[in-house]
Amino acid sequence: MRPLYIIFSMKARKFIILWVAAVFCGGSLFAQSIESIKASSKWLWGEGTGETQEEADQRALRDLSSQISLSVVSSTQTEIENQQFGDEAISTTSTKGTTEISTGGVALNNCQRIVNKNKNTFYVLRYIEKSEIDKMYERLEQKIRELVKQYKKSENQDKIGDALRFNYWAIKLIAALPTERQYALRGDEGLLISELNGEMAEMLNDIKVEAKGVMNDEDSKTVELRFMYDDKPMVSGDFQYNDGSDWIPAKIKDGIGVAEVPSHMSRISVRMEYEYRYLWKSDPTIQTILQQNPQLIPFPASGKSVLLGSAPRQETHFSSVKE
């Protein structure tokens, strides 16, 4: 039975109302605007306070982001209205129009802002139409479909390292979606995330690793490892091996990887790479979402145990596999 790893998005946390009614004294129209936004089902909103406007704004964005699963990062702002109420240091700023923020690496347009200052404290309300959230999720789903295509293409070209990477990234992006959208994504035979998890496990299980040759030194030995997939050498990929004290990263090229271990070791533990953290930065969406939710989804079939005793002895050093 194929394993199913579905990571559901975090439930929206309760709003913490940090601002007291006195802030809105003298600004009834402003207060009414805030209350009408909060009361309307048209908007999603978040609020925050701070000693600086930037601090309050970031807290409001985090409050807003808790409702849409993904991280919200401030981008451009356009302030078009300023109001002063009475002799007290109470002012309001309304930010409207085309403000763009980034949500999980996916552009989210038209996030509006209202700012109020009472003496030394800033209050910010961030709000956005729910329809904009739907558009954002649609762009994320398109990214997922692109990753699935890249995964299948890489597998067909025997680029199993790339296939594992694209498959895993697609799984992680699906996990960032709300539960109902996860279940709406379908594959060839059913739930897409279930298919991807099963195919990931099958790919890892079909990778065979054996010691092709061993060269002994006085205190260590160099092992040439052969990596095969579907009875063919893996074109490329990454792996880690345990030298008895730590996990060492290494690369596969044309089916070959090299490990250096203490001379007394008769078996090597190998772990196939599928997360590829150092490549997250190649794509803003991948980087933002996976950094936000970096927990590794375990696939037991990624682990391999390689016996060295039967490998032929070599008299010369193997060439290191370079990237």
Side-chain angles (χ1 to χ4, degrees):
M1 181 177 180
R2 294 180 175 179
L4 174 59
Y5 302 99
I6 301 179
I7 302 180
F8 296 105
S9 304
M10 294 179 61
K11 292 182 179 179
R13 58 186 175 83
K14 289 184 178 181
F15 294 123
I16 303 176
I17 308 302
L18 301 174
W19 196 247
V20 295
V23 170
F24 307 114
C25 291
S28 59
L29 293 176
F30 172 64
Q32 184 179 2
S33 175
I34 287 181
E35 293 309 315
S36 64
I37 290 168
K38 291 181 176 181
S40 174
S41 61
K42 177 181 178 181
W43 305 99
L44 288 175
W45 54 270
E47 59 187 350
T49 62
E51 294 182 359
T52 66
Q53 182 173 311
E54 181 180 3
E55 181 183 18
D57 197 34
Q58 289 301 313
R59 288 176 176 171
L61 288 169
R62 285 196 295 270
D63 198 24
L64 173 61
S65 73
S66 70
Q67 303 174 70
I68 55 179
S69 305
L70 306 176
S71 174
V72 180
V73 182
S74 178
S75 182
T76 58
Q77 302 174 356
T78 305
E79 298 182 0
I80 64 170
E81 182 181 359
N82 292 276
Q83 300 178 36
Q84 187 75 29
F85 295 100
D87 296 329
E88 299 292 330
I90 302 173
S91 64
T92 65
T93 303
S94 178
T95 302
K96 300 185 178 181
T98 310
T99 296
E100 180 177 299
I101 59 177
S102 174
T103 307
V106 184
L108 183 60
N109 299 316
N110 299 324
C111 182
Q112 302 184 52
R113 184 182 68 175
I114 294 175
V115 179
N116 184 53
K117 182 181 180 183
N118 181 24
K119 296 182 179 179
N120 295 323
T121 304
F122 285 88
Y123 168 85
V124 173
L125 178 76
R126 280 283 192 169
Y127 59 106
I128 188 168
E129 288 191 46
K130 291 181 178 179
S131 60
E132 291 293 339
I133 306 300
D134 292 334
K135 293 176 185 177
M136 177 203 68
Y137 285 136
E138 288 168 4
R139 290 191 290 271
L140 184 55
E141 289 165 357
Q142 179 59 37
K143 182 68 178 179
I144 292 167
R145 285 188 281 268
E146 291 172 2
L147 287 171
V148 172
K149 288 181 181 179
Q150 289 177 295
Y151 141 60
K152 293 183 180 296
K153 179 180 179 180
S154 297
E155 186 184 21
N156 290 334
Q157 295 176 342
D158 297 323
K159 297 179 179 179
I160 305 306
D162 289 341
L164 292 171
R165 169 164 59 101
F166 292 133
N167 184 310
Y168 183 74
W169 288 358
I171 291 170
K172 292 291 283 186
L173 262 59
I174 294 173
L177 292 169
T179 303
E180 64 274 11
R181 284 187 174 269
Q182 291 186 33
Y183 280 100
L185 284 176
R186 313 301 293 180
D188 295 332
E189 299 177 2
L191 194 62
L192 179 59
I193 195 169
S194 180
E195 287 188 10
L196 292 176
N197 273 286
E199 290 165 6
M200 171 72 83
E202 288 178 3
M203 277 195 296
L204 289 167
N205 189 62
D206 287 343
I207 295 174
K208 308 302 179 185
V209 187
E210 63 178 6
K212 182 181 179 183
V214 177
M215 197 214 74
N216 288 295
D217 289 328
E218 184 175 346
D219 298 320
S220 64
K221 54 187 170 187
T222 303
V223 183
E224 189 176 53
L225 299 170
R226 179 189 286 118
F227 292 80
M228 305 290 288
Y229 178 80
D230 198 20
D231 296 326
K232 293 179 288 186
M234 287 181 59
V235 174
S236 62
D238 288 13
F239 71 100
Q240 298 176 2
Y241 67 90
N242 196 300
D243 66 354
S245 60
D246 200 2
W247 287 95
I248 311 300
K251 291 189 173 295
I252 304 163
K253 184 177 180 181
D254 298 327
I256 299 298
V258 175
E260 295 183 7
V261 298
S263 58
H264 69 270
M265 291 185 67
S266 61
R267 185 181 294 273
I268 299 179
S269 294
V270 172
R271 195 161 59 193
M272 301 305 302
E273 175 64 53
Y274 53 86
E275 189 178 23
Y276 287 90
R277 285 191 176 219
Y278 68 92
L279 292 177
W280 289 359
K281 61 185 179 182
S282 64
D283 186 290
T285 303
I286 298 297
Q287 183 176 28
T288 304
I289 293 179
L290 272 67
Q291 281 182 343
Q292 180 184 315
N293 183 21
Q295 291 81 7
L296 180 70
I297 300 175
F299 288 90
S302 65
K304 314 289 180 181
S305 182
V306 183
L307 184 65
L308 306 181
S310 60
R313 299 297 185 266
Q314 305 289 332
E315 297 182 356
T316 59
H317 280 284
F318 304 117
S319 298
S320 297
V321 179
K322 302 294 184 182
E323 185 175 1

